Amino acid sequence: MAQANTGGFKRSAFQRAAGRWTMVALVALATSTLGAAAWADGDRGGRWGHAGMSGPGPFGPGLFGGPPERIERGVDRMLDRVQATDAQRAQVKQIALAAASDLKAQREAGRGLFERNMQLFSAPVVDANAAEQLRQQMLAQHDQSSRRVLQAMLEISRVLSPEQRATLAQQMKDHRRHAGPPHDAPSPAR
């Protein structure tokens, strides 16, 4: 690199542009990782899926996000479809509310990671080791959240009968077919 009269190094326009693009790519990567973690937690920024059941499986992570009243309504709508008993409703609501409480705490921890991410990537020089450590923490937080969703889904599966679960699975399949192909599905040949 050419040395300027001040004794410092002069960066070319290409190097400055590459640095900006690197920063944009790193922020996008971190944001997408946090977005995936938020999705797993059911945090849709106020947009909830039909009957609070968006996401994979008959119960979906969306069932475990939002205020308690919304969670209870989502559980009621889901269980109306399978003619659940009052006892089943009470158990499933208890499971969903406990999971929602745990996931809310995890989301708040994830927000702290996001703030650290923004501080890290807005520094004059990005510390690659710190960025990797932060990425690992984000992945661990996402893993913890998805494990909690799975635990709640397994608990709910023990409350419902095999027939009720099959009915829910079929309804979710029908709903997905009605909603169109998944975003990652290959495009049809023209």
Side-chain angles (χ1 to χ4, degrees):
M1 280 188 245
Q3 204 170 14
N5 293 339
T6 60
F9 286 100
K10 196 174 183 181
R11 292 175 39 169
S12 71
F14 175 76
Q15 289 169 322
R16 286 190 303 274
R20 282 192 296 269
W21 280 110
T22 301
M23 175 103 126
V24 168
L26 290 172
V27 170
L29 172 66
T31 304
S32 67
T33 301
L34 284 172
W39 179 87
D41 292 340
D43 184 358
R44 306 281 193 289
R47 288 184 54 220
W48 306 105
H50 296 287
M53 292 174 38
S54 57
F59 313 115
L63 185 63
F64 309 117
E69 302 81 29
R70 193 205 65 78
I71 293 167
E72 289 181 3
R73 281 192 312 269
V75 168
D76 280 333
R77 281 192 297 264
M78 178 182 78
L79 296 179
D80 283 346
R81 297 173 181 154
V82 295
Q83 289 109 25
T85 66
D86 290 339
Q88 285 176 316
R89 287 175 189 276
Q91 287 179 290
V92 172
K93 283 180 185 179
Q94 183 180 6
I95 293 165
L97 290 170
S101 175
D102 293 345
L103 290 167
K104 181 178 180 183
Q106 291 177 15
R107 275 193 300 279
E108 289 167 3
R111 287 187 187 104
L113 292 175
F114 179 77
E115 292 302 320
R116 286 184 31 215
N117 179 52
M118 291 299 103
Q119 291 171 356
L120 178 68
F121 289 113
S122 63
V125 177
V126 177
D127 181 350
N129 291 326
E132 175 59 22
Q133 289 175 347
L134 183 60
R135 185 186 73 80
Q136 292 293 330
Q137 290 173 337
M138 290 175 177
L139 289 172
Q141 195 273 337
H142 174 74
D143 187 55
Q144 182 182 14
S145 297
S146 67
R147 261 187 268 146
R148 184 60 181 102
V149 169
L150 177 61
Q151 176 190 353
M153 291 172 62
L154 292 172
E155 290 173 12
I156 291 171
S157 75
R158 289 189 283 274
V159 172
L160 300 176
S161 72
E163 295 80 17
Q164 289 171 317
R165 292 193 316 271
T167 299
L168 283 174
Q170 184 59 48
Q171 288 175 352
M172 290 304 295
K173 190 182 220 181
D174 294 344
H175 174 75
R176 185 175 188 115
R177 188 175 22 234
H178 173 71
H183 296 290
D184 60 351
S187 300
R190 294 184 186 255

